[in-house]
Amino acid sequence: MPYLTITGTVPRTSGAGRFGFGVPGCAHPLLAPAEWAELARPGTPLHWAVLNIDNGPGSRPDPHCLEAAGRLRNARERAVHDEDPREAVRAAGGRLLGHLDLALGDRPFPELVADARSFLDWYRVDGFYLDRCPAERAGLPAVRRLTGTLAALLDDGERPGGRERGPLVLAPDTHPYPGYAEAADQLVTFRGPWTDYRWSQVAEWTAAYPPEKFAHFVHGVQHTHLEEAMRIARWQGAGTIFFTDRDSRQGQTDPFATLPRYWDEIVSRVGPGISE
């Protein structure tokens, strides 16, 4: 079943600016050390990456995750003070987000806030990725309550150099009721296979927002279709992307847990100097 609500096509052929990566779920750093090292590499146009230990922060601080979080945080701090143009996108982004599972609105509010506090206390995350977010109008008040609380927690935290907090990202993985766009900094409006993405259309209400409001995550994008996928993302007004040739049909439960085999190429395409 397609992940996008087909309500019309609204081309975005101007103002899409430069892409950056959102990495929704690299595997645990113990299992994917190379992936986490790549995210901290100079010149990687990273908007944010999600830290997910055990569908949340886990029960105690994990030393491997502490190391990965510190490496990513240090990479961004270097980028902020670096005049190298390759680091411009990371200096504006490069955030670490804690993974919170909303279970389509079924997770109790106190549990979610407790998980958020653990992420902040242990890993000093910059923001949060709210996975399995509801998409219907009825779920919006609870999501607004949660994002308001999370924003307050982030604003109360201490960040080196007084830097601003990172984003709150809602992941309904489809076009939600339009009011969700005002409940957080960014929406994941597509997460799914290339076979659906290449025929997808964008909801008309998204035209009122800039590309940095939307993220698209697509698996099963083979190298030969990479340019077409990037054109679709620009056309539909997504500023944050993650494309991979991995596919869940190949025995991998989460195709986004590892980087694509063409990672170096897509980094070079998305990096500084690459725009539409």
Side-chain angles (χ1 to χ4, degrees), residues 19 197 216 228-239 241 243:
F19 284 138
Y197 190 63
H216 291 175
E228 183 182 355
M230 295 177 73
R231 283 200 304 269
I232 293 171
R234 290 190 182 100
W235 183 262
Q236 296 193 2
I241 61 170
F243 299 151

Side-chain angles (χ1 to χ4, degrees), residues 175-255:
H175 285 105
Y177 176 74
Y180 282 88
E182 301 302 324
D185 301 297
Q186 194 171 55
L187 300 175
V188 179
T189 51
F190 187 94
R191 177 171 177 151
W194 166 244
T195 50
D196 287 348
Y197 190 63
R198 69 185 309 181
W199 306 113
S200 66
Q201 297 184 34
V202 64
E204 293 179 1
W205 61 263
T206 64
Y209 295 92
E212 54 264 29
K213 179 64 75 172
F214 304 106
H216 291 175
F217 303 140
V218 190
H219 62 78
V221 181
Q222 298 307 310
H223 181 270
T224 53
H225 294 133
L226 185 56
E227 184 60 38
E228 183 182 355
M230 295 177 73
R231 283 200 304 269
I232 293 171
R234 290 190 182 100
W235 183 262
Q236 296 193 2
T240 300
I241 61 170
F242 190 83
F243 299 151
T244 180
D245 53 352
R246 313 294 180 174
D247 197 304
S248 57
R249 293 177 300 178
Q250 298 171 350
Q252 184 162 348
T253 56
D254 182 0

Side-chain angles (χ1 to χ4, degrees), residues 17-21 43 45 222-231 234 241 243 262-276:
R18 199 171 286 165
F19 284 138
F21 296 121
Q222 298 307 310
H223 181 270
T224 53
H225 294 133
L226 185 56
E227 184 60 38
E228 183 182 355
M230 295 177 73
R231 283 200 304 269
R234 290 190 182 100
I241 61 170
F243 299 151
Y262 46 66
W263 175 250
D264 286 343
E265 178 176 343
I266 194 171
V267 166
S268 69
R269 291 189 183 209
V270 172
I274 301 298
S275 65
E276 63 173 316

Side-chain angles (χ1 to χ4, degrees), residues 125-189:
V125 297
D126 298 297
F128 294 102
Y129 182 86
L130 282 62
D131 201 8
R132 295 205 294 165
C133 178
E136 298 78 17
R137 183 174 184 174
L140 181 56
V143 171
R144 280 179 172 160
R145 180 191 179 200
L146 177 60
T147 55
T149 300
L150 295 177
L153 289 175
L154 290 166
D155 290 338
D156 286 343
E158 295 183 5
R159 282 176 288 279
R163 70 178 188 265
E164 296 180 357
R165 70 168 176 84
L168 295 173
V169 180
L170 299 180
D173 300 342
T174 185
H175 285 105
Y177 176 74
Y180 282 88
E182 301 302 324
D185 301 297
Q186 194 171 55
L187 300 175
V188 179
T189 51

